[in-house]
Amino acid sequence: MRNLAQSSLPARAATGLAKGATLSSRRSAAASFLSLVLVGVLALFITSCSGKDPQDTLSSVGEVAKKQQELFWIIFAWAALVFVLVQGLLLFILFRFRRRSENEMPAQTHGNTRLEIAWTLAPVVILVSVAIPTVASIFDLAKEHDVSMQVKVIGHQWWWEFQYPGLGVVTANELHLPVGEVVAFDLQSADVIHSFWVPKLAGKQDVVPGRSNPLTIKVDEPGTFLGQCAELCGIQHAQMKFRVVVQEKAQFDQWVKDQRTPVQPPGDPAMVKGSLIVQQKCSACHTIQGLAGAVGKVGPTLTHIGGRGTIAAGVLNNTPENLARWIRDPQEVKRGALMPNLGLTEDEIQAVVPYLLSLK
Ligand code: CUA
């Protein structure tokens, strides 16, 4: 058996300290603890005050995201109820049954059948109330009704490939969708596990190598929505971003038409120089439809790169300066990216950039 006196030494020391401490020092300790809690709560409120919310799951736009949000609020309400009840009871009991004198002995109770039945049944009722809408939502969201378009998403370290099999379009990092139509996604990975997430449009869905995961999205209003890989997938996981551009049907059809048009051979001699360098240096990894030999599949298609808003999977805005910076030293922009430094001279870079940006 352990030596009781020895094992409770720290406890006894603490009691002694507490007894020795003056009332005012205990009060000031309590006050500083309270102010610490207050600062924490304030910090929490301030951080939640951001006006711009491009990735706010609680301002959902799509049908799928709305259903998920409804479910979130149901579960949150139950959790809040449990929290208030448990904490309220705890506070009440702490206060009501506190020790009032040194040698007071509380009433000894051995079991209470009614209480035990109550606290067994209450969680059952709560869990069933959570399970019914949860399971119903799972089946509801798994249904692919009135699908008007299929999009195959392929996650790569660290960019997104979007294929529209029915439309003959392949693009990268910028997904275009028609407003109000149900789009069925087929999520696949080229390497490791990623997660496809557009917070305002639909909850996360894992993108797993060797698997094909479904997800449907229907967006109610046009706009640009930010997406994000949501599964740690390597050093540039945080920089595996994408955008979803939701357009009216006519605009979307125009975009499809533009995407399907192969690039034209350049007439301008400066552009010809750029296209030749791209053919030599870039075509092993990148596809450019219409440019002979540019059929690489390692990196994203560059067929209409000039029409995209960002480069390097959402890391940089697509400007001539940024594109030059990316080509000059990809590792400086995105360490670990598979895009190698091709050692182009400044002269070559200045020829390649305008050519690529002309591919709209
Ligand atoms: Cu892909 Cu994280």
Side-chain angles (χ1 to χ4, degrees), residues 1-40:
M1 209 178 160
R2 282 171 77 202
N3 185 328
L4 201 69
Q6 216 170 32
S7 69
S8 64
L9 250 179
R12 283 203 299 172
T15 319
L17 263 177
K19 271 185 184 160
T22 63
L23 198 66
S24 73
S25 80
R26 258 188 286 166
R27 272 207 185 134
S28 76
S32 59
F33 175 72
L34 261 180
S35 50
L36 208 70
V37 170
L38 203 69
V39 166

Side-chain angles (χ1 to χ4, degrees), residues 156 158 160 193-195 229-234 237-238 240:
H156 296 259
W158 292 278
W160 297 93
I193 302 176
H194 304 277
S195 181
C229 177
E231 176 68 53
L232 184 63
C233 57
H237 152 69
M240 189 171 163

Side-chain angles (χ1 to χ4, degrees), residues 40-110:
V41 170
L42 269 177
L44 202 71
F45 270 105
I46 290 165
T47 50
S48 62
C49 278
S50 155
K52 274 189 101 186
D53 52 357
Q55 292 191 313
D56 183 3
T57 42
L58 298 182
S59 59
S60 55
V61 174
E63 192 181 311
V64 173
K66 280 193 176 137
K67 282 177 182 165
Q68 289 168 338
Q69 194 181 332
E70 276 165 28
L71 186 61
F72 167 81
W73 283 120
I74 292 172
I75 296 172
F76 182 80
W78 279 112
L81 181 77
V82 170
F83 178 81
V84 170
L85 264 177
V86 170
Q87 298 302 314
L89 266 174
L90 185 66
L91 281 177
F92 169 75
I93 289 164
L94 278 176
F95 182 76
R96 174 74 180 74
F97 300 103
R98 70 189 187 280
R99 192 168 167 192
R100 283 160 214 264
S101 68
E102 277 294 316
N103 43 18
E104 188 187 3
M105 179 58 103
Q108 301 299 299
T109 309
H110 296 280

Side-chain angles (χ1 to χ4, degrees), residues 7 98 100 117 139 206 210 216 241 285 287 335 357 359:
S7 69
R98 70 189 187 280
R100 283 160 214 264
I117 289 173
F139 281 100
D206 273 1
T216 44
K241 303 187 258 190
C285 293
T287 295
R335 195 155 61 89
L357 289 181
L359 309 177

